[in-house]
Amino acid sequence: MSNSNSFIFLLLALSSLVTVHSLTHSSDITALLAFKSSLKSSSIPPNSCLATWDFTTDPCSEPRVTHFICGITCSGDRINQITLDSQGYTGTLTPLVSSLTQLITLDLGENKFYGPIPSSLSSLPNLQHLILRVNSFSGSVPQSLTTLKSLRTLDLSRNSLSGPLPNSINSLTSLTRLDLSYNRLTGFLPKLPPNLNEIAVKANSLSGSLYKSSFDGLTQLMVVELSENSFTGILEPWFFLLPSVQQINLANNSFTSVVILKPVNINSQLVAINLSFNRIEGFLPANFADYPTLRSLSLSYNRLRGPIPWQYSKKGSLQRLFVDGNFLNGSPPAGFFAGDTAVSGSLGDNCLRSCPVSSELCLKSQKPASICQQAYGGKKPRS
């Protein structure tokens, strides 16, 4: 029997149940029927949640001890949560899911849904958590999703979404977590929602510079994960002075410069910064040492030159320092090799002198002298 015929048969069979015995709102039951009918029956294992959706009992009936309710929770007579198990369910997401108007959570993560994300999801005014990660959804991020004023979590990571981010994404005023990593998104980073705690758009094709206007008013932003994109330009001081930021990962981009100011009169909470695998030129910014809680600093494989600032070795909170793969010269600060030092990482593949091979920091060898001379205009780097 085809999926469409199965749907019609189930709907007719259920009509008497809905009329006489059902607690669940009829539009919700119709939406659930359409949801299951949109999936390939061969992708629904016998021991899975969706296999228990046989529609012989009411999903919101009390007590909820029947097998039908796997993956579903109710509030009164309305479905308020769908959380599927990861079983490789294959098919499209029916637009009729918009009939579940009391839905708070829709979690279909780690399956094989494909096709576009229905724009009709904008008809779910109470939706707080939309989790579609690790599927095969394609097309753009629907502009209509930005009307979901109650949305707190939006996780569309590891799909095949493309095109630019919606310009109106900042209208998601309740959003605290946004994860769009591992897609095919392009274009600039627009103005972000004001109450974000975490943004992750790793491994896409976003480009252009990071502008202060995109981050204006983000006083609660703690995690910025924008690595593996095509961002360019200068990283300006304001970015590292965002009031609540703790972790910044901008590795594997094409930034060319970084400007760091001391966090004067700002209670910086920065713990970890990763700027590795960019095109950053100039000297290592000594002012990184003035960030009171900074524990991990990675600037590997850039185009940095000059000495390692002595202030780095005097910074008590620093635990990890990776600056390998640059053109740093001179002798590394002696404080790194004191008996009580706790700094791990790598200073290798540079133009340093007197880097003790007995130290973990110096396990990786330095560049040949000829390469270092070439990097410094044919002149021998100063000790």
Side-chain angles (χ1 to χ4, degrees), residues 15-147:
S15 59
S16 59
L17 174 65
V18 171
T19 303
V20 180
H21 301 291
S22 180
L23 170 67
T24 307
H25 197 280
S26 59
S27 64
D28 284 14
I29 291 181
T30 300
L32 294 177
L33 283 162
F35 183 97
K36 184 174 182 180
S37 180
S38 296
L39 301 178
K40 295 180 180 179
S41 57
S42 59
S43 72
I44 303 176
N47 62 342
S48 65
C49 267
L50 274 176
T52 69
W53 292 19
D54 60 10
F55 302 100
T56 58
T57 55
D58 188 273
C60 295
S61 61
E62 296 284 357
R64 296 193 180 111
V65 295
T66 61
H67 59 285
F68 173 75
I69 62 170
C70 178
I72 295 174
T73 61
C74 299
S75 177
D77 66 343
R78 303 305 301 268
I79 308 294
N80 68 358
Q81 180 172 313
I82 295 178
T83 303
L84 290 188
D85 47 348
S86 176
Q87 294 284 351
Y89 301 125
T90 303
T92 59
L93 177 56
T94 175
L96 290 180
V97 73
S98 62
S99 299
L100 301 168
T101 55
Q102 300 304 306
L103 205 61
I104 293 174
T105 298
L106 179 60
D107 184 349
L108 312 180
E110 299 185 37
N111 283 290
K112 296 180 181 178
F113 285 86
Y114 58 84
I117 297 172
S119 59
S120 63
L121 291 177
S122 62
S123 299
L124 300 175
N126 300 296
L127 193 64
Q128 295 181 17
H129 307 284
L130 178 58
I131 302 170
L132 306 179
R133 66 187 184 90
V134 196
N135 277 285
S136 298
F137 287 106
S138 58
S140 61
V141 177
Q143 184 88 18
S144 58
L145 292 186
T146 65
T147 64

Side-chain angles (χ1 to χ4, degrees), residues 301 323-327 346-351 364-367:
Y301 293 93
V323 292
D324 47 317
N326 285 282
F327 298 92
S346 179
L347 310 180
D349 196 14
N350 278 291
C351 300
K364 186 183 291 186
S365 61
Q366 301 296 311
K367 285 182 168 66

Side-chain angles (χ1 to χ4, degrees), residues 76-369:
D77 66 343
R78 303 305 301 268
I79 308 294
N80 68 358
Q81 180 172 313
I82 295 178
T83 303
L84 290 188
D85 47 348
S86 176
Q87 294 284 351
Y89 301 125
T90 303
T92 59
L93 177 56
T94 175
L96 290 180
V97 73
S98 62
S99 299
L100 301 168
T101 55
Q102 300 304 306
L103 205 61
I104 293 174
T105 298
L106 179 60
D107 184 349
L108 312 180
E110 299 185 37
N111 283 290
K112 296 180 181 178
F113 285 86
Y114 58 84
I117 297 172
S119 59
S120 63
L121 291 177
S122 62
S123 299
L124 300 175
N126 300 296
L127 193 64
Q128 295 181 17
H129 307 284
L130 178 58
I131 302 170
L132 306 179
R133 66 187 184 90
V134 196
N135 277 285
S136 298
F137 287 106
S138 58
S140 61
V141 177
Q143 184 88 18
S144 58
L145 292 186
T146 65
T147 64
L148 295 171
K149 303 300 183 184
S150 298
L151 199 63
R152 298 179 59 188
T153 302
L154 178 59
D155 189 344
L156 309 179
S157 60
R158 296 183 183 273
N159 279 281
S160 297
L161 300 171
S162 59
L165 292 175
N167 285 331
S168 57
I169 198 167
N170 66 302
S171 63
L172 292 172
T173 53
S174 297
L175 197 69
T176 59
R177 181 173 178 268
L178 174 64
D179 195 342
L180 303 172
S181 300
Y182 296 97
N183 279 287
R184 302 169 185 172
L185 300 171
T186 57
F188 297 89
L189 193 68
K191 185 171 176 58
L192 297 172
N195 291 304
L196 277 185
N197 299 145
E198 176 184 345
I199 177 172
V201 199
K202 179 179 182 177
N204 280 277
S205 297
L206 298 182
S207 59
S209 298
L210 295 184
Y211 295 105
K212 189 175 183 180
S213 58
S214 299
F215 294 83
D216 269 352
L218 271 67
T219 59
Q220 302 174 61
L221 186 62
M222 294 184 288
V223 177
V224 180
E225 169 57 273
L226 299 176
S227 62
E228 297 182 46
N229 279 283
S230 299
F231 289 113
T232 57
I234 299 172
L235 288 168
E236 299 179 349
W238 62 263
F239 186 77
F240 301 93
L241 297 175
L242 291 168
S244 297
V245 70
Q246 297 177 11
Q247 300 177 47
I248 293 173
N249 190 352
L250 301 177
N252 295 91
N253 278 284
S254 296
F255 293 108
T256 55
S257 181
V258 56
V259 181
I260 302 295
L261 297 180
K262 294 182 180 182
V264 180
N265 297 324
I266 294 180
N267 185 23
S268 173
Q269 301 179 52
L270 256 178
V271 173
I273 300 172
N274 190 348
L275 305 178
S276 298
F277 295 95
N278 277 278
R279 300 176 182 178
I280 298 172
E281 298 182 345
F283 298 100
L284 271 176
N287 287 336
F288 272 135
D290 291 301
Y291 283 75
T293 58
L294 189 62
R295 296 181 183 176
S296 178
L297 178 61
S298 298
L299 284 154
S300 301
Y301 293 93
N302 280 284
R303 301 172 181 178
L304 296 163
R305 59 187 59 226
I308 299 173
W310 63 266
Q311 293 94 329
Y312 283 21
S313 68
K314 301 296 183 182
K315 180 171 173 52
S317 68
L318 192 63
Q319 297 177 359
R320 290 162 51 87
L321 177 65
F322 289 89
V323 292
D324 47 317
N326 285 282
F327 298 92
L328 302 174
N329 65 4
S331 297
F336 282 143
F337 313 109
D340 57 350
T341 184
V343 178
S344 63
S346 179
L347 310 180
D349 196 14
N350 278 291
C351 300
L352 297 170
R353 297 180 182 275
S354 305
C355 199
V357 293
S358 59
S359 170
E360 175 192 338
L361 291 169
C362 303
L363 288 178
K364 186 183 291 186
S365 61
Q366 301 296 311
K367 285 182 168 66

